[in-house]
Amino acid sequence: MAQKKKDSKMMGKIIKTAVSGVLCVALAGGIVAANVLIPPNASSVQSILGLKSGGIDNSKAKTEGINMEYSKPGFDTEDALVEDEIALNKKIAAEGIVLLKNDAGKMPYSTDTTFSFVSHSAVSYIGGNKVDMKTAFEDAGFGVNEALWKFYSEGNGKDYGLGVGSVSYGDDEDFSINECPLSVMKAEPGLTDSMKNTVPVFVFSRVAGEGRDMPRSMYNHTDVEEDKTKTYLEPDSTELEILQYLNDNFDDVVLLLNSGAAVDLSWVENYPNIHTVISAPAMGDYGLCSLAEIFSGKVNPSGRTVDTYEMDAMNSPAAQNFGDFAYYDEDGNLTKYNYVSYKEGIYVGYRYYETRYEDKVLGQGNAGDYNYADAVMYPFGYGLSYTDFEWSDYDTSWDGDTCTVTVKVTNTGDVAGKDVVQVYAQSPYTDYDKANKVEKAAVELVGYAKTAELAPGASETVKIAFDQEQLKSYDYVNAKTYILDAGDYYITAAKNAHEAVNNILSAKGKTVADGMTADGDTAFVATYTPANGTVDTTTYKLDTTTGVEITNQLDHANGGLQYLSRSDWTGTWPTVDGEVSDQISTWGNPINGTDASGNAASYTYRKTISKEDLAKLDSFDSLNPTDFSALTDEIVYGKDNGLGLIDMRGLDYDDEKWDALLDQLTPSDYQTLITQSGYGTAAIKSVDKPSTADRDTATGLINFGFDASGNFYFKGNITHCGVIVLAQTYNDDLAYHYGENIGDESYYLHIDGWYAPAVNMHRTAFSGRNSEYYSEDPFVGGHIASLECKGVASRGMYVFVKHFAVNDQENHRGDREGQFSIATFLNEQAAREIYLRPFEMCIKTDDVQMNYAKDNGDGSYSNATREIPSVTGVMTSFNRIGYTWAGGDYNLVTGVLRNEWGFHGFIITDNANTGVFMDAGQMIRAGADGKLTNLPTGARYTFNKDDVADYHYGREAIHNILYTIANSKTMNGGMPGSRYLAKVEPYQKVIYAVDGVCGGLIAVLVVLTILRFRKKKENVKTV
C-alpha cells in the first residue's frame, strides 16, 4: 500500500514536470518569437499597441532657424480633412457616374417620384456606403418603397445576394448570383402591390476580388442548366424573370449598374421599357448621395466610359486566352505551373473593335463578316448628358514636337453641364509595318479635357496638348526599338472612340453607304505629316528622358506565338493556346466540352511543356548577364562614419556620401531589409533609420491598432470611390486632389507609404481586379494614376505603383498554396505600348518639391528645396514574364525600369508571405529590393555576408530603400545632427518585457521542478 502511494506520488511529479517542460518550451518560444518577429515589424507592433517613440533627439543638431516640418498635411485637423474627403467623394461620384441610356428622356425625375429598388444588391451596394441608397434618395427629396427595402434588408429577401466572388484571396471562389426569385417576392403579401405608382430601379451588381477572375461560364456556380453556359457578366434566369416582370408591368424601368466590369448589356434591347441605363460602380461612403442628385437633376452626369461595353465579352480577341490553362510535362503529368498567352497583341478593347471596324469599311485586312453593331454596345469614351453641346473652331497647331488642339464647346441645351473633349490620333499602317509585324490601332487616345460647368448658352475653348512622341510605335522585329512612320497622321477631336474613327473615315471620303454606322465630321479632323520621308528608327531609339538606348528586353516572353494582325484579321484570329483537358475547371473557364451525361461542362485547357522549358520555370535565374565571380566589391560592414539617414536627405542618388552611410550597415541589416519589408520597414540603428509603416487599399488608407478598451480595430477616414469611377470623371483636378487626400490621411493614420495605385489593364472584362485598375486604355490609366501619385508625393508620402508588370489576370497568379505563378507570353510591342506604358507615365510624371536642411559647407545649415520624382516606389507582380518571375526578371526590372526609365527607388514584391517562388536572391540580382513579408519563414533566403554577389546586389537594394525613405515624410522633425532612434525604442521595451516575463516564469518552473525532486531532510533523534 505504501509502495502504491509512493508510485502515485512519483507519477504526479512526473506529470507536473512534463507540464512544466511544455510550458518552458512555450515560454522559450515566446522569447524567440519576440526577438525574431518584432524588430522587422516594429512599426506595425508599435501601431497596434499604441506605442510611440520617445521622439527625435535634436539636442546636438543646429536647429536654430531651421524648419524641420519638411512636409505637412493640407488641413490643420483631421475633422477638416474628413469634411474635404466627403466633399471630394461626392464630386468624384457626381462626375464619374456614366449615363449610358436615356432614350425617352425619363431622367432626371421629379422629386415627387417614389422609387422601388429591386434586387438584393440594392441593400448591399458594392463599394463603401456609409450612406445607403434609401437614405441618399430620401435626402434628395424622393420617396423610397419602404416595404420593398425592408423585404431585402430584414425580411424574407434578406438571405439572398451575390456570393463573395474570390474567397480568401483565391483559395476558392463563390460567384453564385442567388437573387431573390420573383416567386418569393410575389408570395410576400402586398409586396408587388407596393410597387404600384413607383419607378422600379433594378440594381444589377457583379463582384470579383483579389485572387480570382470572373467566370467565363457559371458551370460551378448554379444548378440551372440554362445558366451554366452563361458568363458571370450576364443576368441569370432568375434576374431575367424579374426584369421581364418589371418590363411587363411598368412603362418606365431604370437599370442601375453596380459593377467594376463592363457587363453584358446585349439583352437590354429585349426589354423596351428599360429607358434608362446608368453605371455607378464603387461609390464609396457618400457617392450614392451624388447618384440621387443625378436622378433629381441637381447634378448633370458628365462621366465617360473607360472601357468598351461589348455585346459579348467572350468575343474579344483577348478572351480567347484568359483563364485556366495548365502545363503538363512530357510524360503527361499535370505540373504545378499555369500560363496565359496574349495572342491579341495590341488589340485590347477599342483598339480591336474600332480598328477592325475601320478595316471593314475600307475593305482591307480580311476583316471578314465583322459587324460593329453586333460587337459593341457602348464605345470607349461614351457618356450622355441632360444638355446638348455644340463644338466649333477646331484647330491644331504644332510648336516643335508639341501639338495643341483647341475646340470651342458651347452649351446649347437648357441646363448647365460639363463636357469632355477627347483627342485621338491615327498613325499610318505602312508596308514596313506589315512586313515587320508592327501593328497600328485605328485610333489611340492622346489627350482629353473636361470643361468647367457651362450654363446654357455659355462657351469655353479647351486646349489639349500632346507630343509627337505619343505617335511612335514599337518595332520588335527589325529596328528593335521605337519607330516613327513616314506618312500622314490624322488628329481628331471626338466624343468617343467610335466617333473618332467615323470622323477620320469621313476625311478619307467614306460615308454610311460604305458601311459606316454614321457619317463623321471632317471639321474636326486635321492631318500631320512629320518631316521624315521614310520610317524613322533613330529619333526615339534613345529614351527622351534618360538618353538611354531602347532595345528589346522581353524577347524571352514572346513565346513564338501567332499574334493578331490587322493585315489579316481572319487568318490571324487568336486560337485557344491549348487543348481541352479531362480536368474540370474550378477557375471559371468557358464551356468547352460535355460531361459523361452529355451536359455542357467547363474543363481546364492544357499544353505540354518541354523538359528544358519546365526547368526554366523551376529555376531562380534572374537573367542577369553579369559574371558574378568577376565582381570585385570590397565587403565592408559596421564602419563608424557617424552618419544617419537624415544626412542623405536632399542629396543626389549617386552622391558619394551614400557609400559612407552604406558602409555602416551590418549583415543583419541586409537580411532584415531585403527579406522582411512587408507593410513597413524596420528601424535600423546602424544608420539611424526610423521604422516606417506602409499600407494597402486603393480607396483610402487603413491602419490598425487597439482602442481605449483594448479592442483590435482597423482605422481609416472614409472609403473613396473606386479608381474606375475616378477615371470615368476625365477630370485631372479631381485625380490630383484625390492624391492629396491620401497623402493627408497618412499624417493622421501614421502611415509613410501607400501600396497603390494599381495600373494594370482591363485586358478583358473578366479580370477580378478591374475595379482596382483604371481602364482598357493605357493613357487614361497612366495619366490619372500619375496625377494621383503627384498629389500623394506633394505631401511627402511615397507610393508603390503596382503590379509591375503584365499582371492582368488573377487566376493562378501564385498567391495561394499550390500556386507557383502564371507564365505570361506577349510580344514586346504589346508590352511597351499597352501594359508597361501606364507605369512609364507614372515614373516619368512631373517632379515634386522636397524640403530639406542643406549643409552649407561651413558648419551651418539652411532650409532648401529641390525636385525629386513623384514616384519613388514600385511593387512587382506575382506573374512571370515568359518563364521568369516578374519581380526577379533582370530585363524587366533593371533593363526597362531602372536603366531605360532611370528609376531610383524602392522596388518591393507583392505578397511574398505566400508567394513561395519569390526568391530574394533572384530578386536583388534582378535589381529589385525588398520582399513584402512579415515572417522570417517568408524570407526563404539567408543573406551570405561573405558572398560578393549577395553583398553587391544587397547593397544596391538597401541604397534604393533608404533613398526613398530619406526623401519622405518619415524624416520630418529632424536634421543632420539629430538622432531618430532612442537607445531603447518602444518595440525593444516590448521585447524586454516579453523576455523578462517569460524568462522569469521559466526560472520559477525550473526551481519548482528542482524542489519537486529534492529529498526532504528527515528529522534525526539523538539519544
Side-chain angles (χ1 to χ4, degrees):
M1 187 73 179
Q3 185 61 41
K4 283 186 177 181
K5 186 174 181 182
K6 187 175 182 181
D7 290 346
S8 176
K9 192 172 183 181
M10 178 56 70
M11 182 57 67
K13 290 181 179 182
I14 292 172
I15 292 172
K16 290 178 181 178
T17 300
V19 172
S20 296
V22 171
L23 289 174
C24 285
V25 170
L27 292 167
I31 293 174
V32 172
N35 284 270
V36 173
L37 299 181
I38 291 178
N41 297 290
S43 61
S44 294
V45 170
Q46 292 181 176
S47 175
I48 290 172
L49 297 178
L51 301 175
K52 294 184 178 179
S53 297
I56 301 168
D57 180 2
N58 289 317
S59 61
K60 296 183 180 180
K62 299 177 181 180
T63 60
E64 186 176 353
I66 302 298
N67 179 5
M68 295 179 289
E69 189 179 22
Y70 303 118
S71 54
K72 60 183 181 179
F75 300 88
D76 293 331
T77 67
E78 188 172 11
D79 287 344
L81 167 61
V82 171
E83 183 179 348
D84 185 74
E85 289 185 297
I86 292 171
L88 181 63
N89 182 186
K90 292 178 179 179
K91 287 179 184 176
I92 292 173
E95 295 197 28
I97 292 170
V98 181
L99 181 61
L100 294 170
K101 181 180 181 181
N102 192 24
D103 63 359
K106 297 288 187 179
M107 291 272 274
Y109 290 91
S110 164
T111 52
D112 293 335
T113 306
T114 296
F115 292 106
S116 291
F117 295 126
V118 184
S119 92
H120 187 274
S121 294
V123 300
S124 55
Y125 208 88
I126 300 165
N129 312 322
K130 283 183 179 176
V131 177
D132 61 27
M133 286 187 67
K134 181 174 184 293
T135 303
F137 275 72
E138 288 178 341
D139 287 350
F142 291 114
V144 173
N145 184 334
E146 184 82 17
L148 190 59
W149 184 269
K150 285 187 175 180
F151 170 77
Y152 287 119
S153 61
E154 58 189 66
N156 289 331
K158 68 179 177 61
D159 294 327
Y160 294 90
L162 295 174
V164 296
S166 178
V167 176
S168 186
Y169 297 95
D171 279 339
D172 200 352
E173 63 181 37
D174 178 9
F175 287 99
S176 56
I177 293 173
N178 194 34
E179 182 52 68
C180 178
L182 180 64
S183 59
V184 176
M185 296 174 66
K186 287 183 173 181
E188 188 79 7
L191 185 64
T192 53
D193 287 341
S194 72
M195 297 171 64
K196 292 179 179 178
N197 301 315
T198 71
V199 174
V201 177
F202 185 84
V203 183
F204 185 61
S205 295
R206 290 297 183 262
V207 67
E210 189 171 352
R212 291 279 175 147
D213 296 307
M214 289 173 267
R216 280 73 62 206
S217 75
M218 294 297 287
Y219 180 77
N220 297 307
H221 302 290
T222 180
D223 294 326
V224 180
E225 286 298 325
E226 67 178 286
D227 290 335
K228 287 185 177 183
T229 60
K230 295 179 179 179
T231 74
Y232 183 62
L233 302 180
E234 300 175 68
D236 71 359
S237 56
T238 299
E239 291 172 312
L240 289 175
E241 185 181 22
I242 297 170
L243 287 160
Q244 188 65 60
Y245 173 82
L246 298 179
N247 184 75
D248 293 345
N249 290 276
F250 299 88
D251 60 9
D252 182 23
V253 179
V254 177
L255 178 64
L256 173 59
L257 309 178
N258 175 216
S259 171
V263 295
D264 184 330
L265 296 174
S266 59
W267 51 272
V268 173
E269 64 183 7
N270 299 323
Y271 302 87
N273 286 329
I274 297 179
H275 294 296
T276 305
V277 180
I278 188 166
S279 174
M283 289 284 92
D285 282 338
Y286 300 92
L288 289 174
C289 298
S290 298
L291 176 65
E293 291 181 343
I294 285 176
F295 270 68
S296 73
K298 184 176 181 180
V299 170
N300 190 347
S302 60
R304 303 292 185 265
T305 59
V306 291
D307 293 310
T308 303
Y309 275 77
E310 302 153 295
M311 295 293 281
D312 183 350
M314 287 302 298
N315 287 338
S316 77
Q320 309 314 303
N321 289 281
F322 182 91
D324 191 8
F325 293 74
Y327 277 128
Y328 284 67
D329 65 24
E330 292 178 346
D331 295 324
N333 300 310
L334 177 66
T335 73
K336 60 186 180 183
Y337 298 112
N338 298 87
Y339 67 95
V340 60
S341 303
Y342 287 36
K343 295 174 74 172
E344 70 280 2
I346 70 164
Y347 296 112
V348 176
Y350 75 86
R351 282 169 168 77
Y352 164 65
Y353 290 106
E354 304 301 341
T355 307
R356 193 162 182 176
Y357 163 72
E358 181 185 51
D359 285 347
K360 179 68 174 179
V361 172
L362 294 174
Q364 63 189 27
N366 193 18
D369 59 358
Y370 180 79
N371 186 314
Y372 187 85
D374 292 337
V376 174
M377 187 80 183
Y378 300 110
F380 174 89
Y382 178 85
L384 300 176
S385 172
Y386 294 151
T387 191
D388 297 310
F389 296 97
E390 182 180 283
W391 294 3
S392 62
D393 302 339
Y394 174 76
D395 182 63
T396 60
S397 62
W398 286 85
D399 181 6
D401 290 339
T402 300
C403 177
T404 300
V405 178
T406 56
V407 178
K408 183 179 180 181
V409 180
T410 302
N411 184 348
T412 59
D414 299 324
V415 295
K418 296 184 176 185
D419 200 11
V420 177
V421 178
Q422 301 162 40
V423 175
Y424 293 86
Q426 180 183 103
S427 301
Y429 185 45
T430 68
D431 290 339
Y432 176 92
D433 298 332
K434 295 171 187 176
N436 293 288
K437 301 182 180 180
V438 179
E439 296 300 323
K440 300 288 187 68
V443 290
E444 291 185 11
L445 183 71
V446 293
Y448 63 80
K450 193 166 199 174
T451 68
E453 186 168 77
L454 300 178
S459 299
E460 178 183 340
T461 298
V462 300
K463 294 185 177 182
I464 303 160
F466 71 92
D467 292 327
Q468 176 184 276
E469 186 175 4
Q470 290 175 253
L471 307 179
K472 69 187 181 183
S473 301
Y474 197 85
D475 172 7
Y476 68 92
V477 173
N478 183 42
K480 298 185 178 180
T481 191
Y482 285 105
I483 64 171
L484 184 70
D485 269 312
D488 293 333
Y489 291 71
Y490 290 88
I491 313 298
T492 185
K495 296 182 181 296
N496 56 68
H498 191 55
E499 184 178 285
V501 177
N502 278 338
N503 286 350
I504 294 170
L505 283 170
S506 291
K508 293 179 178 181
K510 299 299 178 180
T511 68
V512 290
D514 298 296
M516 290 174 61
T517 56
D519 287 327
D521 192 338
T522 58
F524 293 95
V525 181
T527 57
Y528 167 66
T529 307
N532 52 299
T534 59
V535 60
D536 179 353
T537 62
T538 59
T539 298
Y540 298 112
K541 185 175 184 178
L542 301 182
D543 188 281
T544 53
T545 300
T546 65
V548 173
E549 183 177 351
I550 299 170
T551 191
N552 285 10
Q553 296 286 350
L554 305 178
D555 285 340
H556 61 288
N558 184 277
L561 302 173
Q562 169 66 66
Y563 291 100
L564 181 60
S565 174
R566 70 179 294 189
S567 66
D568 184 3
W569 290 108
T570 303
T572 61
W573 180 254
T575 55
V576 174
D577 190 15
E579 300 174 346
V580 177
S581 75
D582 59 0
Q583 177 180 310
I584 291 292
S585 172
T586 57
W587 297 79
N589 258 6
I591 297 298
N592 53 13
T594 56
D595 59 21
S597 302
N599 296 318
S602 171
Y603 293 94
T604 296
Y605 290 108
R606 60 171 288 173
K607 185 165 71 171
T608 299
I609 187 172
S610 68
K611 290 180 180 178
E612 292 77 15
D613 288 340
L614 186 57
K616 293 177 184 177
L617 285 168
D618 289 334
S619 168
F620 293 111
D621 181 11
S622 69
L623 307 183
N624 187 328
T626 303
D627 179 358
F628 302 140
S629 65
L631 294 172
T632 59
D633 301 48
E634 179 187 357
I635 297 177
V636 180
Y637 299 113
K639 288 196 74 173
D640 185 8
N641 291 327
L643 293 172
L645 185 58
I646 186 60
D647 293 297
M648 304 299 114
R649 186 178 179 89
L651 299 185
D652 290 340
Y653 175 82
D654 55 1
D655 190 289
E656 62 183 16
K657 208 170 190 177
W658 276 104
D659 281 327
L661 180 84
L662 296 171
D663 284 347
Q664 297 176 194
L665 294 164
T666 69
S668 64
D669 296 335
Y670 280 78
Q671 178 71 25
T672 297
L673 288 175
I674 291 170
T675 66
Q676 289 178 260
S677 286
Y679 295 98
T681 57
I684 303 295
K685 286 201 169 184
S686 65
V687 293
D688 196 35
K689 173 204 165 297
S691 62
T692 60
D694 305 329
R695 296 293 183 263
D696 236 324
T697 310
T699 53
L701 297 178
I702 297 177
N703 209 340
F704 39 75
F706 288 98
D707 62 20
S709 302
N711 300 310
F712 184 78
Y713 74 103
F714 289 95
K715 183 180 189 305
N717 286 352
I718 75 167
T719 298
H720 297 268
C721 289
V723 297
I724 190 172
V725 183
L726 179 60
Q728 288 176 173
T729 67
Y730 284 75
N731 188 320
D732 290 358
D733 292 339
L734 293 181
Y736 182 76
H737 192 175
Y738 177 67
E740 289 180 314
N741 271 179
I742 295 294
D744 291 333
E745 287 183 0
S746 71
Y747 287 85
Y748 300 106
L749 298 175
H750 310 293
I751 296 171
D752 301 284
W754 186 35
Y755 291 153
V759 296
N760 300 103
M761 299 301 297
H762 295 179
R763 178 176 172 244
T764 77
F766 297 104
S767 173
R769 297 179 84 174
N770 274 357
S771 61
E772 189 176 342
Y773 305 154
Y774 294 79
S775 174
E776 69 184 28
D777 180 72
F779 179 83
V780 167
H783 186 67
I784 293 290
S786 295
L787 292 163
E788 279 184 62
C789 291
K790 189 177 179 183
V792 172
S794 72
R795 300 300 196 243
M797 188 185 197
Y798 51 90
V799 301
F800 291 91
V801 182
K802 64 183 185 182
H803 309 88
F804 191 69
V806 204
N807 183 181
D808 313 291
Q809 175 174 311
E810 291 301 287
N811 286 354
H812 299 300
R813 65 179 188 165
D815 187 29
R816 314 315 292 166
E817 184 176 351
Q819 296 293 307
F820 290 84
S821 182
I822 185 166
T824 309
F825 296 93
L826 74 170
N827 67 50
E828 191 139 355
Q829 183 184 10
R832 288 183 180 269
E833 294 185 16
I834 306 294
Y835 302 101
L836 297 184
R837 191 178 178 203
F839 291 95
E840 183 177 10
M841 292 175 70
C842 290
I843 298 301
K844 294 180 177 180
T845 194
D846 295 339
D847 291 344
V848 292
Q849 290 285 323
M850 184 203 66
N851 301 312
Y852 67 105
K854 180 182 179 181
D855 185 346
N856 295 321
D858 59 1
S860 67
Y861 291 85
S862 59
N863 281 113
T865 61
R866 67 165 297 171
E867 290 190 338
I868 63 167
S870 293
V871 174
T872 57
V874 169
M875 180 186 289
T876 57
S877 51
F878 281 105
N879 62 290
R880 298 169 185 266
I881 306 299
Y883 299 118
T884 305
W885 165 50
D889 188 320
Y890 178 88
N891 293 36
L892 178 70
V893 175
T894 294
V896 175
L897 178 57
R898 292 214 185 273
N899 290 348
E900 288 185 14
W901 300 349
F903 177 73
H904 298 309
F906 186 176
I907 303 177
I908 197 169
T909 69
D910 206 329
N911 179 17
N913 288 305
T914 53
V916 297
F917 53 88
M918 296 181 180
D919 180 77
Q922 178 186 355
M923 172 191 74
I924 60 174
R925 283 161 175 78
D929 308 315
K931 294 186 71 174
L932 202 162
T933 51
N934 308 95
L935 306 174
T937 53
R940 303 180 190 90
Y941 166 82
T942 301
F943 175 75
N944 185 343
K945 66 182 181 63
D946 299 315
D947 182 83
V948 176
D950 267 22
Y951 176 78
H952 175 87
Y953 293 107
R955 184 180 174 99
E956 289 183 347
I958 295 182
H959 183 186
N960 297 325
I961 295 171
L962 297 181
Y963 174 78
T964 294
I965 295 168
N967 294 305
S968 74
K969 64 187 278 292
T970 304
M971 308 309 293
N972 270 0
M975 63 174 290
S978 301
R979 184 170 182 83
Y980 283 76
L981 300 180
K983 290 184 177 180
V984 180
E985 284 287 294
Y987 77 89
Q988 291 177 297
K989 294 178 182 178
V990 174
I991 295 173
Y992 297 156
V994 173
D995 290 350
V997 172
C998 291
L1001 290 173
I1002 289 173
V1004 170
L1005 291 170
V1006 169
V1007 169
L1008 290 175
T1009 299
I1010 293 172
L1011 293 176
R1012 192 176 300 122
F1013 287 95
R1014 186 178 179 183
K1015 291 184 177 181
K1016 294 180 180 179
K1017 291 183 179 180
E1018 297 181 4
N1019 293 325
V1020 180
K1021 287 185 178 181
T1022 55
V1023 179

